């Protein structure tokens, strides 16, 4: 995507929340507890710690539905423990038989009240792409062009 330096692509969210957080690969569990939501349903709240300093957010608290094992939301923290964002996983979709992905995400900036970014995946597909699209020398120009 070619844009100018001042173009806002993802609103107020950082790349880490927009592209997805790899809970299983990037974090270890520090603590887990059972909580009750406003409707009286039991949920799990899991505190995570980053496996190394290359992870964008060094700590996270994930709220999980214990029946589906799907994250409902996550609070992302800085090294200092200051909460930066709360990400709500509002809608899930299934592609094929068992490929589950989050299709609607709401990212709330906890440092700047009122700043919210909404992300929607309208369609997910898998297709083979021409290798020339990934060649920095051609900038996406394919043989057909």
């Amino acid at each position: 995507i070619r844009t100018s330096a001042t173009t806002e692509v993802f609103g107020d969210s950082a790349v880490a929340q927009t592209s997805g957080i790899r809970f299983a690969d990037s974090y270890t569990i520090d603590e887990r507890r059972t909580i009750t939501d406003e409707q009286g349903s039991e949920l799990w709240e899991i505190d995570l710690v980053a496996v190394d300093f290359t992870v964008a957010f060094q700590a996270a608290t994930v709220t999980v539905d214990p029946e589906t094992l799907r994250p409902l939301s996550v609070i992302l923290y800085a090294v200092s423990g200051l909460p930066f964002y709360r990400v709500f996983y509002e809608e899930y979709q299934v592609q094929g038989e068992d490929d589950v992905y989050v299709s609607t995400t709401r990212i709330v900036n906890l440092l700047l009240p009122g700043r919210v970014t909404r992300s929607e995946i309208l369609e997910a597909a898998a297709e083979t792409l021409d290798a020339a699209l990934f060649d920095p020398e051609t900038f996406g120009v394919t043989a057909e062009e």
Side-chain angles (χ1 to χ4, degrees):
I1 300 173
R2 294 181 185 171
T3 63
S4 72
T6 58
T7 302
E8 287 188 20
V9 179
F10 293 118
D12 197 40
S13 69
V15 173
Q17 307 92 293
T18 305
S19 63
I21 298 166
R22 301 181 60 84
F23 294 116
D25 297 331
S26 300
Y27 295 94
T28 58
I29 295 175
D30 183 46
E31 186 179 336
R32 186 183 95 178
R33 60 199 157 272
T34 301
I35 62 169
T36 305
D37 68 7
E38 297 84 27
Q39 291 79 32
S41 300
E42 283 192 356
L43 303 173
W44 290 341
E45 195 171 73
I46 303 169
D47 294 330
L48 303 174
V49 177
V51 295
D52 61 45
F53 283 100
T54 64
V55 178
F57 298 99
Q58 290 296 294
T61 300
V62 184
T63 303
V64 177
D65 180 335
E67 291 181 26
T68 64
L69 302 179
R70 293 179 181 173
L72 301 174
S73 69
V74 62
I75 299 174
L76 302 168
Y77 299 92
V79 175
S80 67
L82 181 70
F84 276 138
Y85 298 96
R86 180 146 191 196
V87 181
F88 294 91
Y89 304 108
E90 295 185 333
E91 189 173 338
Y92 284 84
Q93 297 291 328
V94 179
Q95 182 173 351
E97 291 184 29
D98 59 358
D99 187 9
V100 179
Y101 64 95
V102 177
S103 61
T104 305
T105 305
R106 184 169 43 98
I107 303 164
V108 177
N109 186 322
L110 298 175
L111 297 177
L112 302 170
R115 303 285 296 257
V116 177
T117 301
R118 185 177 174 85
S119 171
E120 284 186 72
I121 297 174
L122 301 177
E123 181 180 352
E127 62 183 79
T128 303
L129 299 174
D130 186 336
L133 292 172
F134 304 97
D135 181 357
E137 299 297 321
T138 62
F139 288 103
V141 178
T142 61
E144 295 92 35
E145 297 176 335

